[in-house]
Amino acid sequence: MPLAETHEIHKRRFGRNFGTALCLVGFCAVVFGLTIAKVREGSLLEAHDHQPRASALPISEELSQ
Amino acid sequence: MSDYTAQTATETRTAESEAGFGDYLALLKPRVMSLVVFTALVGLLVAPGGVSPMIGFTAILFIALGAGASGALNMWYDADIDAVMKRTAKRPVPAGKVPAGEALTLGLWLSAISVIMLGLATNWVAASLLAFTIFFYAVVYTMWLKRATPQNIVIGGAAGAFPPVIGWAAVTGDVSIASVLMFGLIFMWTPPHFWALALFMKSDYHKADVPMLTVTHGRAETRKQILIYTVLLVPVALGLAFTAVAGPVYLAAAVVLNAIFLKGAWDIWRRDEEAAEADGYLVEKKVFKFSLLYLFLHFGALLVDAIWRLI
């Protein structure tokens, strides 16, 4: 029997593997989309630029200045 | 039998019984999932506040996946009775395509994934409700009450009634009178819907030792129970009209639909088996078909009212 011969079982296995792969890709896409949606929902993000600024100081200190 | 013959026989058996992707999908009961998706979507869309489309989509996806997980757990546990009944004998586990252990593993993993993902996407109230629904369907209904009492359909209906409550909680983070009434609508609708089907689909539940009302208490009692549950359903359906989620469209739809459903249940109760057999269960079949429309139109009307409010 030639090694390359395709049996119906190979098609079924391919279908199963392809389906699983699609599910995994879909799951990654959902997690990515969800992350973007969650980040957009949150408050403004400010990176630390090593310079003192009003929004980075505790409220009491800000008021005393 | 030579080694070669034995090996070939084993390979043939394995090849015939090896599952395809569709068999694993079938474990998730896709038809039940469609009802879950629709009612959860309505619960999510009519809830005050609203969520971003991506979060809403994720919530519905994982509510549906949770429902699928409980379906897989149900097929794992019920494989013995599914094999006996004609209607369910071709399901992946009794047909020998998916080993029972794999159905259990799939069900448990999907349960965990759906609950955790719903919690991360929305809130932990919605996630807890989903976890409870899976537990209720898989353990309370499937493992315990399904084989113990003829009221199994009534109790099992609770699991099918939770999706709009979960959809609502995904947005608001709580349970309100409106979401409880949406639950009540599906819960009270399930018995007359299913028993109308049971009257004309003479299923082989008795072979599997599952107590069904038509077998344990007789068909006349089933007809009476259909009327009782329909009468109890009416105030729940109309009560929902007086909450903030409903409007004139729902009220008009509820009045008309409940009048027709009540008339159908009355007609079923008034008939006896002889009359039903004479016309091939015409009334029962009509009521069953109408019951599908009844639920779809109630939730559809809620959606129309929600869109109406936005305009």
Side-chain angles (χ1 to χ4, degrees), chain A residues 7-9 12-13 15-16 18-20 23 27 29-34 37-38 41, chain B residues 14-21 24 52 54-55 57-58 61-62 113 117 120-122:
Chain A
H7 189 268
E8 194 271 328
I9 195 173
R12 218 181 309 167
R13 277 182 192 162
R16 203 169 63 196
F18 188 70
T20 311
C23 286
F27 183 72
V30 166
V31 171
F32 178 72
L34 189 62
K38 284 277 180 189
E41 256 191 0
Chain B
T14 312
E16 276 169 4
S17 61
E18 193 165 309
F21 188 69
Y24 288 96
S52 82
M54 185 63 209
I55 292 176
F57 167 76
T58 313
L61 179 72
F62 288 107
I113 291 169
M117 286 305 294
L120 292 172
T122 59

Side-chain angles (χ1 to χ4, degrees), chain B:
Chain B
M1 188 162 57
S2 70
D3 284 353
Y4 175 77
T5 320
Q7 192 187 352
T8 312
T10 313
E11 274 173 6
T12 310
R13 186 167 53 81
T14 312
E16 276 169 4
S17 61
E18 193 165 309
F21 188 69
D23 295 313
Y24 288 96
L25 272 187
L27 281 178
L28 310 183
K29 297 192 177 180
R31 270 197 295 180
V32 177
M33 241 191 221
S34 61
L35 177 71
V36 168
V37 167
F38 178 62
T39 55
L41 183 69
V42 173
L44 186 131
L45 291 175
V46 301
V51 285
S52 82
M54 185 63 209
I55 292 176
F57 167 76
T58 313
I60 298 298
L61 179 72
F62 288 107
I63 293 170
L65 201 65
S70 57
L73 293 172
N74 171 275
M75 285 204 201
W76 158 70
Y77 192 80
D78 275 353
D80 58 335
I81 55 176
D82 282 352
V84 178
M85 295 191 291
K86 212 196 292 176
R87 183 176 67 85
T88 53
K90 285 182 182 167
R91 284 180 174 175
V93 180
K97 288 181 176 171
V98 177
E102 275 188 24
L104 172 66
T105 310
L106 184 75
L108 290 175
W109 272 107
L110 289 185
S111 300
I113 291 169
S114 58
V115 169
I116 291 169
M117 286 305 294
L118 184 66
L120 292 172
T122 59
N123 58 69
W124 295 102
V125 175
S128 308
L129 284 168
L130 180 63
F132 179 72
T133 306
I134 297 169
F135 169 79
F136 192 88
Y137 187 71
V139 178
V140 178
Y141 169 68
T142 304
M143 294 183 190
W144 180 25
L145 296 170
K146 184 176 177 179
R147 300 173 194 223
T149 164
Q151 293 291 315
N152 45 22
I153 287 309
V154 182
I155 299 141
F162 268 109
V165 185
I166 305 171
W168 177 284
V171 177
T172 62
D174 63 17
V175 176
S176 74
I177 185 80
S179 67
V180 169
L181 285 170
M182 280 190 273
F183 171 92
L185 182 64
I186 305 176
F187 180 69
M188 300 306 295
W189 163 87
T190 308
H193 162 77
F194 190 85
W195 286 330
L197 175 75
L199 281 175
F200 66 84
M201 280 277 290
K202 290 179 178 169
S203 199
D204 36 11
Y205 281 107
H206 57 281
K207 267 205 260 172
D209 268 346
V210 176
M212 292 307 290
L213 196 67
T214 43
V215 178
T216 58
H217 289 70
R219 305 173 81 78
E221 178 63 24
T222 308
R223 290 171 186 280
K224 193 172 97 182
Q225 292 290 327
I226 288 175
L227 181 64
I228 291 170
Y229 275 95
T230 309
V231 168
L232 294 173
L233 169 67
V234 174
V236 179
L238 292 178
L240 189 55
F242 301 101
T243 61
V245 298
V249 177
Y250 179 86
L251 180 63
V255 169
V256 175
L257 293 169
N258 280 283
I260 299 171
F261 202 29
L262 205 53
K263 169 77 171 59
W266 176 266
D267 289 344
I268 286 181
W269 179 61
R270 297 277 293 167
R271 273 153 72 86
D272 57 17
E273 247 353 80
E274 273 180 34
E277 271 181 24
D279 66 7
Y281 293 89
L282 199 66
V283 175
E284 290 78 3
K285 284 177 183 169
K286 258 166 73 177
V287 171
F288 172 74
K289 277 184 193 161
F290 178 74
S291 70
L292 290 166
L293 198 66
Y294 173 96
L295 195 70
F296 177 75
L297 290 179
H298 269 89
F299 278 87
L302 285 177
L303 207 53
V304 173
D305 275 327
I307 296 166
W308 189 276
R309 279 193 298 274
L310 285 175
I311 299 169

